[in-house]
Amino acid sequence: MQHVRDVPPEAAMLRAALARGGRARLRTRGASMLPAIAPGTLLTVTARPFAQVVPGDVVAAVIDARIIVHRVVAASPAGLLTLGDNLPLLDPPVAPHAYLGVVPEHHARLPRRRPDPAALGPHPGGNGPGRVRILVPGPAAAHRAHGVDVRRCADPGRLPGPVIGISPYGALPPGALDTVLRAAGSRDVTVLVGYSFGYGSGPGADGAGELLPPDLADLHIRFGTPLAPPGPAAALGFVADRVRRLRPAPPPAPPMTAPPAASVRAAPTPARPAATAPAASEAGSRR
């Protein structure tokens, strides 16, 4: 669970104003909520009990010592899961003590997230499915039983696309992986499993290892939830099952061998004319 390390002065002022009058004004700076909220919009934040916040609400909260104004995608007594409408990753969970209030005028149904085909990059041409390479931060030998191409990659750099990140923080729903694998066509796809993406530094909030820059992946797909993150083995099993169903590896080419000696036939040698051939011809000419 993400905890507030430092409360910025603006958050303390906002909280005090909400406690006094139930309302406060806040001006946005970033573009994370486009198109619903443009940068520089002056918002009215309203006090509402934490237990009454529901998915679709836009809330103000403190995350990583700054105020965010994002939409709630899931709510529980343990915390809120929030996401900027224009962002590829969920925020760290918002604990009750980090919550400030809601922005009622921007409540809306949760927008459906679909993968953008443009993120897959240009199509290389060719027929049939390309290959899928799954990268994990730990030893790969234990995962060979999945029947897919699993490789260890302790420090991913810039990878050939399309690159798909699988984590509890992905904005795209799990079913988007099927859509992407079908749409990839003959492209080779790289899938990152067991890594963390997003805020902060050091080990990820889901215990999956070092954080990677969000832009290392072209698309981020969610498996599990930040409130109860699954282990890397479960995530790998989810990905391997989809890959086996939708992008099976092509069978290996049969080894090339020389034909058996018995099947090699020597070229026929021209026969020498028989000694009786002229006589036979002459005999025929006498008839």
Side-chain angles (χ1 to χ4, degrees):
M1 175 68 66
Q2 178 78 16
H3 294 287
V4 179
R5 296 175 300 181
D6 300 297
V7 177
E10 297 84 355
M13 295 171 59
L14 185 64
R15 195 185 298 277
L18 290 169
R20 286 194 307 268
R23 291 172 177 264
R25 303 284 273 174
L26 175 67
R27 189 176 298 278
T28 62
R29 290 193 291 267
S32 63
M33 282 296 292
L34 285 174
I37 304 175
T41 301
L42 187 62
L43 300 175
T44 299
V45 181
T46 302
R48 182 189 296 175
F50 181 86
Q52 296 179 15
V53 176
V54 297
D57 281 339
V58 172
V59 299
V62 177
I63 292 180
D64 277 358
R66 64 190 183 94
I67 298 176
I68 60 100
V69 177
H70 286 168
R71 194 175 305 281
V72 176
V73 298
S76 77
L80 306 175
L81 295 183
T82 58
L83 171 66
D85 288 357
N86 192 36
L87 294 181
L89 290 165
L90 275 70
D91 305 311
V94 176
H97 62 264
Y99 162 74
L100 297 172
V102 299
V103 184
E105 62 185 298
H106 286 290
H107 175 92
R109 295 181 60 185
L110 295 178
R112 291 189 62 184
R113 293 279 185 138
R114 296 184 177 90
D116 181 5
L120 300 179
H123 197 284
N127 297 320
R131 297 181 181 273
V132 178
R133 178 180 61 169
I134 302 174
L135 301 185
V136 296
H143 306 305
R144 301 300 185 197
H146 284 285
V148 292
D149 183 1
V150 182
R151 308 181 191 185
R152 181 177 185 178
C153 186
D155 185 20
R158 187 59 226 172
L159 302 167
V163 179
I164 312 302
I166 305 293
S167 77
Y169 289 89
L172 292 169
L177 181 58
D178 290 10
T179 303
V180 171
L181 293 177
R182 290 190 182 101
S186 58
R187 300 174 179 89
D188 291 340
V189 178
T190 299
V191 184
L192 299 172
V193 179
Y195 299 91
S196 295
F197 303 88
Y199 291 92
S201 59
D206 53 6
E210 295 296 315
L211 288 165
L212 299 181
D215 59 0
L216 194 63
D218 300 299
L219 295 169
H220 290 275
I221 295 175
R222 182 172 64 258
F223 178 72
T225 166
L227 292 171
L236 180 60
F238 161 72
V239 174
D241 177 68
R242 309 319 303 160
V243 171
R244 285 194 302 267
R245 290 172 181 267
L246 300 172
R247 302 264 291 193
M256 296 183 64
T257 58
S263 67
V264 178
R265 302 180 62 184
T269 303
R272 298 180 62 184
T276 57
S281 176
E282 292 173 357
S285 63
R286 295 191 188 105
R287 292 180 183 176

